[in-house]
Amino acid sequence: MNDTPGWASPGSAPSDGQDASVPRPAEPADDLGTPSDSPSKWSKTQPPAGQWSAPSAPGPVPPAPRPAPGWGGPGPGGRHSGWGQPPAAAKPGVIPLRPLGVGEILDGAVSTLRAHWRTVLGVTIVVAVISQIGDILVQRYLLPEPVDIDPNASPTEALNQAVDAMQSSLIALAPSLLITIIGTLFTTAVLTVVISRSVLGRSVTLSDAWAEARPRLLQLLGLTLLLPVMGALVVMVGILPGLLIGSGAGIALTMFGGLAALVLVIWLMVSFSLASPALMLERQGIVASLRRSAKLVKGTWWRIFGILLLTMLLTFVVSMIIAVPFSLVAMAVDGEGVSGLFSDSGPDFGWPFLIITGIGTVISTSITLPISAGVSVLLYVDQRIRREALDLELARAAGVPGYGSERPGNDAPRG
């Protein structure tokens, strides 16, 4: 998919639809305006070939005329741009102001983390530490004991025990999920402001980012809670008919309904993946942000799905690289060590295990969360550049020379 206008060298061939009788530079026309079949009408007397000679006396050499951009002159960095190359895009901040590739989006997220590391790590570390302390306290004091399943129980009793164990796991997961949502809420709000400033090449302090993000927190909280609730309702509607039937056909219907609901949930989450940046940067309401995201994603769903999936895989790999060594150290320090995992009663971990694994979680969260937030915001910026020529507004806002007025032909979607 070509993101830039096409370029062509002049005089190389007739344009599409052009009459072949139109003379080209090497084909002089006769008096009737058509190519002549007779010998050339050029004068037999021609000027001599141009002769180059060194100047007779030393003196200043007049500068050569500077070629227009895109016409074979030297490009940025002294490289020859060649035919068909447009001028380089302005880059006042972490990304060039033009439609972005996948690597440029990821690089822009990492570059924001490097360029504004004090502000980014300041908010992510503080929120991650507070969230992890709350999670450790909940796990230690508020969660119920896990339900044991008797291996000698009858099939009906084993099924009931499995349902009880699943309910216990969901109850244990709820406080951690709530803490994670609240922590992600604060970091997403502040990082959205930081990343939007970094696109313009402007620095921002943590206090400034917080002051700008704070008025939008309640709406962002509503949006953050609405999306998982929406997904849970879709899954419930998908599996409910099979659960009501309850027979063999009901099991098959439950599996089919659950699979269809999962596909729909993925489609909705990708369609609404740009709602958070739209809410923060355009200052719209929750419903308007969802509509805005769906409009920006429309027509490029698979591209955005692939970028989000790649980001999830990268952050997961980074998290595992950091978390696994901390988990092994924690199991070696606390309880029975790694051998406790294979005991009948299961491992009994205490404070050392929770603290060491909590440190690993804080480190991994401080690295991966800014990257995920950066990809989301830069995807939003990229979609607006492609559809609405946002790069012109960004260039003017950044004070890039030559962007003082609108240029024709840039309102059409690009790429």
Side-chain angles (χ1 to χ4, degrees):
M1 184 179 297
N2 191 7
D3 294 333
T4 55
W7 293 67
S9 56
S12 57
S15 303
D16 294 338
Q18 178 180 333
D19 191 351
S21 63
V22 176
R24 306 224 288 277
E27 297 174 353
D30 59 13
D31 296 336
L32 297 178
T34 59
S36 175
D37 297 329
S38 60
S40 174
K41 300 296 185 179
W42 296 102
S43 173
K44 297 180 179 180
T45 305
Q46 295 293 325
Q51 301 293 328
W52 293 96
S53 59
S56 57
V61 179
R66 186 176 181 178
W71 292 91
R79 295 174 297 177
H80 195 278
S81 59
W83 298 106
Q85 295 295 329
K91 188 179 180 181
V94 295
I95 59 170
L97 299 183
R98 56 169 172 74
L100 304 174
V102 179
E104 290 171 324
I105 292 176
L106 294 172
D107 180 71
V110 176
S111 297
T112 301
L113 176 59
R114 292 200 307 261
H116 307 282
W117 64 270
R118 291 184 180 88
T119 304
V120 172
L121 293 182
V123 62
T124 53
I125 290 178
V126 170
V127 172
V129 168
I130 295 175
S131 301
Q132 197 60 34
I133 291 175
D135 189 31
I136 290 175
L137 294 177
V138 167
Q139 292 185 45
R140 191 63 179 172
Y141 294 111
L142 299 182
L143 296 185
E145 293 292 332
V147 178
D148 296 329
I149 299 178
D150 186 4
N152 299 322
S154 63
T156 303
E157 293 177 352
L159 180 61
N160 293 331
Q161 292 176 1
V163 172
D164 293 339
M166 183 179 299
Q167 292 177 350
S168 177
S169 300
L170 292 176
I171 294 174
L173 182 62
S176 299
L177 182 61
L178 181 61
I179 292 173
T180 302
I181 290 176
I182 295 176
T184 305
L185 169 72
F186 285 97
T187 53
T188 300
V190 175
L191 290 177
T192 300
V193 177
V194 174
I195 296 165
S196 64
R197 297 284 186 88
S198 67
V199 171
L200 301 176
R202 298 175 181 174
S203 60
V204 57
T205 62
L206 182 56
S207 59
D208 293 338
W210 170 248
E212 186 172 343
R214 184 174 54 189
R216 314 296 299 170
L217 283 180
L218 288 180
Q219 289 181 315
L220 184 60
L221 176 61
L223 177 64
T224 305
L225 295 176
L226 177 61
L227 292 178
V229 170
M230 185 186 304
L233 289 177
V234 171
V235 173
M236 183 60 65
V237 171
I239 65 176
L240 185 59
L243 294 177
L244 294 177
I245 295 177
S247 61
I251 296 176
L253 184 59
T254 300
M255 295 178 60
F256 177 78
L259 180 60
L262 179 61
V263 173
L264 180 58
V265 167
I266 294 175
W267 182 82
L268 289 174
M269 292 302 107
V270 174
S271 298
F272 298 146
S273 60
L274 306 183
S276 176
L279 185 145
M280 292 295 301
L281 300 179
E282 298 183 22
R283 303 185 181 278
Q284 299 195 31
I286 296 176
V287 177
S289 299
L290 293 174
R291 292 175 179 171
R292 179 69 165 146
S293 175
K295 180 180 179 181
L296 291 174
V297 173
K298 184 178 180 181
T300 56
W301 189 94
W302 285 105
R303 176 177 180 270
I304 294 178
F305 170 75
I307 294 175
L308 294 177
L309 180 61
L310 177 61
T311 304
M312 290 177 59
L313 292 176
L314 290 177
T315 54
F316 174 77
V317 170
V318 173
S319 299
M320 289 298 100
I321 291 175
I322 297 174
V324 168
F326 278 90
S327 299
L328 294 176
V329 172
M331 287 187 292
V333 171
D334 192 11
E336 301 175 1
V338 180
S339 60
L341 293 174
F342 305 99
S343 62
D344 295 336
S345 59
D348 184 16
F349 295 127
W351 283 106
F353 177 84
L354 295 176
I355 292 174
I356 295 175
T357 54
I359 294 173
T361 302
V362 169
I363 296 175
S364 63
T365 302
S366 301
I367 296 175
T368 58
L369 190 56
I371 296 176
S372 300
V375 169
S376 178
V377 176
L378 294 179
L379 264 177
Y380 163 82
V381 173
D382 175 58
Q383 287 302 109
R384 289 200 60 187
I385 288 176
R386 292 173 182 270
R387 295 180 179 270
E388 303 169 359
L390 181 65
D391 51 331
L392 302 181
E393 298 181 18
L394 294 175
R396 284 193 291 270
V400 177
Y403 288 84
S405 60
E406 291 285 349
R407 292 183 299 174
N410 282 279
D411 294 332
R414 288 177 286 173

